[in-house]
Amino acid sequence: MTEPLLMASELSVQKGVRALLSNVSLTVNQGDVWQLAGGNGVGKTSLLRAFARLARIEVFGRLERCEDVLYSGHSAALKGALTPRQNLMTHPSGLNAPSDLAIDTALEAVGVLGHADVQTARLSAGQKRRVALARLFLPSPRLWLLDEPFTALDVQGVNVLEARFLEHARSGGAVVFTSHQSAALGDELKVLNLEHYCGD
Amino acid sequence: MQFDSFAAAVTMGGHGGFVWAAYAITSVVILVMIVRPVLSTRSMQDTIQREFERKQAHEKDAS
Amino acid sequence: MWRIIHQFGSPPWVYRFCDRVIPWLLPLTAVALIVGSAWGLLFAPTDYKQGDSYRIIYIHVPAAVVSLAGYYIMAFAGLVSLVWRIKLADLAMRAAAPIGAAFTAVALITGAIWGKPTWGAWWVWDARVTSMLILFFLYVGVIALFEAYDNKTIAARACAILSLVGTVNIPIIYKSVDWWYSLHQPASIKFTGSSAIDASMLYPLLGMIVAFYALFALLMMLNLKQSLTSEYAQSNWLIKRITT
Amino acid sequence: MTDQSGIDTLQYLSGQTARHVRLQLASPSEIVNPLLFFLLVVILFPLGLGPDPERLALMAPGILWVVALLANLMICMRLFVDDFEDGSLEQLAMASTPLALSVIPQLLAAWMTGGLVLSLAAPLFGMMLGLPVSAVPVLVASLLMGTAIMLLLGAVGAALTVGVRRGGILLALLILPLYIPVLIAGTRALDEALHSGDPVVALAFLGAGVTGGLLLAPLAIAAGLRVSLEL
């Protein structure tokens, strides 16, 4: 068994005075696809941000993970003034500058290659969403932390994304994503229901 | 004593108004800064005490 | 060393420490302030140049000294809470900010009152007074930043960073204001760089400075006890301590 | 830093600089507004103080520097807001490059389209206030350095207030006290230049401010951004 990509033991997350989640333990190994499930406000996003170490002040307990992480939040860090190609070329998350070929294959995989050089602001909401997902089709880090990746996706988009998850997991990566709906990823999917870890 | 009479101490050669005003303002500020936390701590302690007694009485009825 | 930090870091221990120290520190500070003021007001000799208006120095200078020290104490508490994430240091920083601001305000007010009889103007653009005014705005900035955040745990960390940035800038500000003042100095008004102050005037001043430091410590403990009581109202160590 | 990751970091930083410069150029109003603000406020002074050329020339250094300071503050108010809202700041924090380093490209781009342009336009406004031509080189030099320091300090305040509602006014309250030494040094440099004194001391002070700021400010900016990302 290779070393786990992420190991959280007794992780607790506060929100001001309120204890949001307490004693969450999770081990993510290579090839795992984890869904953080639970109703709105249970703290899915907060836990994911804790895993990403974007939230630290109000996070207690032990968290160890590999440094090679892709995080995608609610807003997708896309600049309207830039074209999809420019957005992917100089993405602030520091993915070492992908080659043009890699960008083309990624944009084609999500079906927006035709608009690669149009200002992202002029694309439709659905197309923008797809450009955001194109990052997952670039050569990317092993551990993915995705916040509500399936929102505002049409059926075809959901299928493409689910296939990509499984492909990434099989190639030795791991995916941790939040979603309040149940994802149709078959038995490979592991679900962590955060309702059991509610604070106080 | 630098001043030979109480009146001289008050007027201080014409500057008394300023000197005593400065001391008055400073002592008011100091008093407020001391009294405020003491009162608020005491009132919080009272609420905790009352809350504790109410719970005590509640447990006695229940048992 | 770690045992001490651990002790200072545990709220129950600090609460007991405050309960033990305040009962004798409060009267002691009151006496020190009263005796010091009486000594400065009534027994110190009259200044041959300024007459008796200089007696305001016995509250103006101590307030100024403590307000500057207060900022560094606040920043140090911020640093401790930033590095070791000790809740106590966080509360100490929050307690030091309003106290420091109040002392700076007192220093500014008494400075203005002192300026009127001595130079005929309520506000003199002297280097020391101007720097104190800027220090006051540094305090107000920290307090305003703390109030701007809803989540107070995160607010405290932001204030810790701001106060550290402030400490780096204070010497620069003081030096540049002196530099600015020395360039535009109209007459030879030397405000607080007074000539060698006579011993009989100096001792009450030193006494008052010590009294003001004691006052600062007392106010810190009172505010700390207040925020501990409100912060830990539900925890049973506090309930046990109050109800026994 | 093995050389491979060193090269990646340099590549990443240059890529980010290009990205931010392109973004700045994409919204020209962000560049022109501070200039218009500068011109408008400079015009207010003769209207307020009277057209007497001698008096204006006497006060020109102070006026130019105070207005440059306010224009700089305006630039800092918008500094991280867009990136905070569209998630770019989050991604910047997730990059393997330390945040203190990866923030610099944005500051460099902001300075090139802000402080630099302001400093080059200032002589024109100086003329309007009757600033003698002899003082123009020192004016530009002091503003080039001064705007850099003020951008670095303003960025610290912006990082701490970007997540807060109505953070703009709060930013002014936090940062203006820290701007005072820069203002003093800047106006002093101009005064020395005007009265045939020696402006080198003041310019050296500003130079020290730039180097000190470049070293220390990014650490505070990174710490401040991390706090704002917690909200």
Side-chain angles (χ1 to χ4, degrees), chain A residues 1 17 23-24 42 52 66 73 79 87 92 95 101 110 135 138 147 150 162 185:
Chain A
M1 254 309 277
V17 283
N23 297 330
V24 176
V42 78
C66 65
K79 291 291 182 185
N87 264 310
L95 298 173
L101 176 65
V110 286
R135 272 182 67 205
L138 286 171
D147 202 352
F150 293 106
E162 280 169 356
L185 278 157

Side-chain angles (χ1 to χ4, degrees), chain C residues 123-231:
Chain C
W123 181 256
V124 172
W125 283 100
D126 162 77
R128 210 43 83 247
V129 177
T130 314
S131 306
M132 246 184 288
L133 184 63
I134 301 169
L135 178 66
F136 180 70
F137 281 114
L138 289 179
Y139 271 115
V140 167
V142 171
I143 295 169
L145 183 65
F146 185 77
E147 297 306 327
Y149 278 81
D150 305 330
N151 181 328
K152 292 313 173 193
T153 328
I154 296 177
R157 185 171 283 257
C159 291
I161 294 167
L162 181 64
S163 54
L164 285 175
V165 169
T167 49
V168 172
N169 280 286
I170 283 180
I172 300 170
I173 291 173
Y174 272 64
K175 274 288 160 285
S176 54
V177 169
D178 288 348
W179 188 31
W180 159 80
Y181 181 71
S182 64
L183 169 72
H184 300 292
Q185 190 178 25
S188 69
I189 313 165
K190 239 344 192 163
F191 185 57
T192 41
S194 51
S195 53
I197 187 166
D198 179 78
S200 59
M201 294 182 191
L202 183 62
Y203 292 137
L205 183 57
L206 298 180
M208 280 300 275
I209 288 177
V210 169
F212 264 64
Y213 267 112
L215 176 63
F216 184 84
L218 172 70
L219 293 174
M220 280 290 284
M221 276 191 245
L222 288 173
N223 279 356
L224 212 52
K225 203 175 144 189
Q226 177 191 356
S227 39
L228 279 173
T229 314
S230 82
E231 199 82 16

